[in-house]
Amino acid sequence: MKFASTSIALLLSINTFSQHLWDLQDCLSYAYKNNLQIKEASLVQQIQAKEVKFQKNKRLPALSARINNGFSYGFQQVFSGEFVGQYKEIQSYRNNGAVNASIVLWNKNAQKIRIKNEEINLINSLLAAQQKKFELQLEIIAKYYSVLIAKERLELAKQVFENREKQKENKEKLYQLGNIARNLLSQEKANWIQDWQTYQTEKINLKKALFELAILLQLPNKESFDVADVSEESLALEKSLEEVVHLALSNRASIQIAKEKVEFSKNEIGNYKTQYYPKITLDYSLGSSAQQVFENENIAFKEQFRNNFYQYASIAIQIPLFNQGNTKIKIQQAKIKTTLQELQLEQEKQNLKNNIETLYFDMLAAKENYQAAKEAEKQTKEVSLFSEKSYEIGAITAFEYTGMRNEYVLSQLKKIQSKYELLFKQQLLESYTLKMKK
């Protein structure tokens, strides 16, 4: 019964999956949660968070304990008693234990700078994950709109084929009645085969587009995957170019990463400068030891260990005198690297601005193309309807009618292409203005 219940639940989940039409947000949410690269970036964040904690813990004292047990055997010259000057066989057992502590008292904020740099690395790992999400988002948007174009092309091909099917059946009836010549029927069948092939090709193209999107999403079930259409009104971009650029510069992770790299390089300058200053360390030890020599009278081992008690404390000052000018060179390199990172930040801003400006003007051009395509589709539709009536009464040839009809189909394809090109550009621009969630 348990197996049956599990099987039924599995079948229901698969059926639900197959019936659900994924919109763009569904695709993005699923990818953010399940994409392996996103998961990898999350693990990198966790590793870097541990590195920050590791550097912070270095400010605490280092504690250690030591216990040594030893047994010695050999000959040793005696300096007391009746065997003075002679070598006697000696066997002894030794034991000592101690607790040691060490802490850096002062090092010109060197550890504080290291902690700050690791925190910057942590921020960068978070931003890198956001950048991966953004890049994945752009890929998903492109694949998603490829599917929508393929679906509309398939629907158009289906309509064309169904109309051709009716015309072929009509021509076959007319031929059987002797109203048309055989060559007209043959021409109609040839057109029918061509439209059928186009219909089958568009079916394959849609399956391929859906499969590529499912692969990108890393879906376990790719066969029953399908997506929902988008409305033109829902994606109307009302922001100006200046607004899009401003929001993109504020929200894009690539810009924030470049800024953090500048900050990291500046901290490195301070880190190298600390090498000019002394390092003060406090060390402290607390311990006791005892020894028993066999065949000799000794104080009780426990008494020795209890009484033979010692403490040791020291303050060490490490003063840098000369390291072949390496610190100076490192500081100079860090300053040059800071300048380089600042230039790369400005270049990153410029590249982003150029990309958005290009995309924005492409969007405006796509909007004009779409309006032109709608008007062309309207005109060719009227011509196609007129040519159909003319063909039915014998005013034009089948070749002329087919040519006009193909012009109408071509205008519909151009309208579909320009429509989704416009929606695609608008969606991309909208993506640049949104801040990625953590």
Side-chain angles (χ1 to χ4, degrees), residues 253-271:
S254 58
I255 301 299
Q256 301 303 319
I257 290 173
K259 289 180 178 179
E260 294 298 331
K261 286 182 177 179
V262 172
E263 187 66 23
F264 185 93
S265 295
K266 289 180 178 179
N267 281 345
E268 280 295 276
I269 296 173
N271 187 33

mmCIF file of all heavy atoms in Angstrom, residues 253-271:
data_model
loop_
_atom_site.group_PDB
_atom_site.id
_atom_site.type_symbol
_atom_site.label_atom_id
_atom_site.label_comp_id
_atom_site.label_asym_id
_atom_site.label_seq_id
_atom_site.Cartn_x
_atom_site.Cartn_y
_atom_site.Cartn_z
ATOM 1 N N ALA A 253 25.734 44.003 -10.268
ATOM 2 C CA ALA A 253 26.767 43.408 -9.419
ATOM 3 C C ALA A 253 28.161 43.617 -9.999
ATOM 4 O O ALA A 253 29.131 43.749 -9.253
ATOM 5 C CB ALA A 253 26.497 41.910 -9.250
ATOM 6 N N SER A 254 28.280 43.658 -11.324
ATOM 7 C CA SER A 254 29.598 43.824 -11.941
ATOM 8 C C SER A 254 30.236 45.156 -11.537
ATOM 9 O O SER A 254 31.462 45.230 -11.335
ATOM 10 C CB SER A 254 29.474 43.753 -13.466
ATOM 11 O OG SER A 254 28.584 44.756 -13.953
ATOM 12 N N ILE A 255 29.411 46.203 -11.381
ATOM 13 C CA ILE A 255 29.923 47.507 -10.952
ATOM 14 C C ILE A 255 30.338 47.437 -9.484
ATOM 15 O O ILE A 255 31.397 47.952 -9.091
ATOM 16 C CB ILE A 255 28.862 48.602 -11.157
ATOM 17 C CG1 ILE A 255 28.441 48.684 -12.630
ATOM 18 C CG2 ILE A 255 29.396 49.951 -10.684
ATOM 19 C CD1 ILE A 255 29.558 49.034 -13.574
ATOM 20 N N GLN A 256 29.527 46.806 -8.658
ATOM 21 C CA GLN A 256 29.852 46.688 -7.236
ATOM 22 C C GLN A 256 31.124 45.872 -7.022
ATOM 23 O O GLN A 256 31.934 46.180 -6.146
ATOM 24 C CB GLN A 256 28.673 46.039 -6.488
ATOM 25 C CG GLN A 256 27.360 46.806 -6.595
ATOM 26 C CD GLN A 256 27.461 48.235 -6.101
ATOM 27 O OE1 GLN A 256 28.091 48.502 -5.089
ATOM 28 N NE2 GLN A 256 26.843 49.165 -6.819
ATOM 29 N N ILE A 257 31.302 44.828 -7.819
ATOM 30 C CA ILE A 257 32.524 44.013 -7.723
ATOM 31 C C ILE A 257 33.742 44.858 -8.032
ATOM 32 O O ILE A 257 34.768 44.792 -7.338
ATOM 33 C CB ILE A 257 32.435 42.809 -8.679
ATOM 34 C CG1 ILE A 257 31.395 41.797 -8.168
ATOM 35 C CG2 ILE A 257 33.795 42.127 -8.817
ATOM 36 C CD1 ILE A 257 31.124 40.660 -9.129
ATOM 37 N N ALA A 258 33.648 45.672 -9.088
ATOM 38 C CA ALA A 258 34.771 46.534 -9.458
ATOM 39 C C ALA A 258 35.078 47.542 -8.354
ATOM 40 O O ALA A 258 36.247 47.837 -8.071
ATOM 41 C CB ALA A 258 34.460 47.260 -10.772
ATOM 42 N N LYS A 259 34.036 48.063 -7.695
ATOM 43 C CA LYS A 259 34.248 49.004 -6.587
ATOM 44 C C LYS A 259 34.947 48.320 -5.411
ATOM 45 O O LYS A 259 35.860 48.891 -4.795
ATOM 46 C CB LYS A 259 32.909 49.582 -6.124
ATOM 47 C CG LYS A 259 32.275 50.563 -7.098
ATOM 48 C CD LYS A 259 30.960 51.081 -6.549
ATOM 49 C CE LYS A 259 30.323 52.097 -7.493
ATOM 50 N NZ LYS A 259 29.015 52.597 -6.976
ATOM 51 N N GLU A 260 34.530 47.101 -5.099
ATOM 52 C CA GLU A 260 35.136 46.370 -3.979
ATOM 53 C C GLU A 260 36.588 46.033 -4.270
ATOM 54 O O GLU A 260 37.427 45.987 -3.354
ATOM 55 C CB GLU A 260 34.337 45.096 -3.688
ATOM 56 C CG GLU A 260 32.921 45.332 -3.174
ATOM 57 C CD GLU A 260 32.893 46.075 -1.851
ATOM 58 O OE1 GLU A 260 33.850 45.950 -1.069
ATOM 59 O OE2 GLU A 260 31.897 46.790 -1.601
ATOM 60 N N LYS A 261 36.921 45.802 -5.516
ATOM 61 C CA LYS A 261 38.316 45.527 -5.882
ATOM 62 C C LYS A 261 39.189 46.755 -5.637
ATOM 63 O O LYS A 261 40.348 46.628 -5.223
ATOM 64 C CB LYS A 261 38.407 45.090 -7.342
ATOM 65 C CG LYS A 261 37.899 43.670 -7.585
ATOM 66 C CD LYS A 261 38.060 43.273 -9.039
ATOM 67 C CE LYS A 261 37.619 41.829 -9.252
ATOM 68 N NZ LYS A 261 37.744 41.412 -10.679
ATOM 69 N N VAL A 262 38.646 47.933 -5.902
ATOM 70 C CA VAL A 262 39.382 49.173 -5.617
ATOM 71 C C VAL A 262 39.633 49.279 -4.116
ATOM 72 O O VAL A 262 40.755 49.580 -3.674
ATOM 73 C CB VAL A 262 38.589 50.397 -6.124
ATOM 74 C CG1 VAL A 262 39.259 51.690 -5.651
ATOM 75 C CG2 VAL A 262 38.494 50.381 -7.638
ATOM 76 N N GLU A 263 38.601 49.012 -3.313
ATOM 77 C CA GLU A 263 38.740 49.094 -1.860
ATOM 78 C C GLU A 263 39.751 48.071 -1.345
ATOM 79 O O GLU A 263 40.550 48.363 -0.444
ATOM 80 C CB GLU A 263 37.371 48.844 -1.215
ATOM 81 C CG GLU A 263 37.324 49.063 0.286
ATOM 82 C CD GLU A 263 37.555 50.503 0.681
ATOM 83 O OE1 GLU A 263 37.335 51.403 -0.154
ATOM 84 O OE2 GLU A 263 37.979 50.745 1.833
ATOM 85 N N PHE A 264 39.735 46.886 -1.932
ATOM 86 C CA PHE A 264 40.685 45.831 -1.529
ATOM 87 C C PHE A 264 42.120 46.277 -1.800
ATOM 88 O O PHE A 264 43.016 46.095 -0.958
ATOM 89 C CB PHE A 264 40.375 44.545 -2.296
ATOM 90 C CG PHE A 264 41.210 43.367 -1.872
ATOM 91 C CD1 PHE A 264 40.751 42.496 -0.894
ATOM 92 C CD2 PHE A 264 42.448 43.128 -2.444
ATOM 93 C CE1 PHE A 264 41.520 41.412 -0.487
ATOM 94 C CE2 PHE A 264 43.225 42.047 -2.052
ATOM 95 C CZ PHE A 264 42.754 41.191 -1.063
ATOM 96 N N SER A 265 42.358 46.864 -2.960
ATOM 97 C CA SER A 265 43.710 47.323 -3.309
ATOM 98 C C SER A 265 44.185 48.428 -2.376
ATOM 99 O O SER A 265 45.354 48.471 -1.985
ATOM 100 C CB SER A 265 43.732 47.811 -4.761
ATOM 101 O OG SER A 265 43.470 46.751 -5.653
ATOM 102 N N LYS A 266 43.278 49.316 -1.984
ATOM 103 C CA LYS A 266 43.654 50.381 -1.041
ATOM 104 C C LYS A 266 44.035 49.782 0.313
ATOM 105 O O LYS A 266 45.002 50.243 0.948
ATOM 106 C CB LYS A 266 42.499 51.368 -0.876
ATOM 107 C CG LYS A 266 42.249 52.243 -2.102
ATOM 108 C CD LYS A 266 41.084 53.195 -1.861
ATOM 109 C CE LYS A 266 40.861 54.096 -3.066
ATOM 110 N NZ LYS A 266 39.703 55.020 -2.864
ATOM 111 N N ASN A 267 43.302 48.778 0.741
ATOM 112 C CA ASN A 267 43.628 48.119 2.008
ATOM 113 C C ASN A 267 44.970 47.408 1.947
ATOM 114 O O ASN A 267 45.685 47.329 2.957
ATOM 115 C CB ASN A 267 42.533 47.117 2.386
ATOM 116 C CG ASN A 267 41.323 47.795 2.994
ATOM 117 O OD1 ASN A 267 41.385 48.960 3.389
ATOM 118 N ND2 ASN A 267 40.223 47.103 3.049
ATOM 119 N N GLU A 268 45.295 46.891 0.788
ATOM 120 C CA GLU A 268 46.580 46.201 0.629
ATOM 121 C C GLU A 268 47.752 47.158 0.837
ATOM 122 O O GLU A 268 48.800 46.764 1.354
ATOM 123 C CB GLU A 268 46.672 45.557 -0.759
ATOM 124 C CG GLU A 268 45.925 44.232 -0.876
ATOM 125 C CD GLU A 268 46.539 43.159 0.001
ATOM 126 O OE1 GLU A 268 47.509 42.514 -0.430
ATOM 127 O OE2 GLU A 268 46.053 42.980 1.139
ATOM 128 N N ILE A 269 47.568 48.420 0.436
ATOM 129 C CA ILE A 269 48.617 49.420 0.672
ATOM 130 C C ILE A 269 48.859 49.552 2.169
ATOM 131 O O ILE A 269 50.012 49.527 2.646
ATOM 132 C CB ILE A 269 48.221 50.787 0.063
ATOM 133 C CG1 ILE A 269 48.100 50.675 -1.460
ATOM 134 C CG2 ILE A 269 49.250 51.856 0.438
ATOM 135 C CD1 ILE A 269 47.561 51.929 -2.125
ATOM 136 N N GLY A 270 47.777 49.695 2.941
ATOM 137 C CA GLY A 270 47.905 49.786 4.401
ATOM 138 C C GLY A 270 48.477 48.525 5.005
ATOM 139 O O GLY A 270 49.261 48.583 5.973
ATOM 140 N N ASN A 271 48.131 47.375 4.439
ATOM 141 C CA ASN A 271 48.653 46.107 4.945
ATOM 142 C C ASN A 271 50.167 46.021 4.791
ATOM 143 O O ASN A 271 50.881 45.604 5.716
ATOM 144 C CB ASN A 271 47.972 44.951 4.205
ATOM 145 C CG ASN A 271 48.342 43.605 4.790
ATOM 146 O OD1 ASN A 271 48.562 43.465 5.987
ATOM 147 N ND2 ASN A 271 48.432 42.604 3.932
#
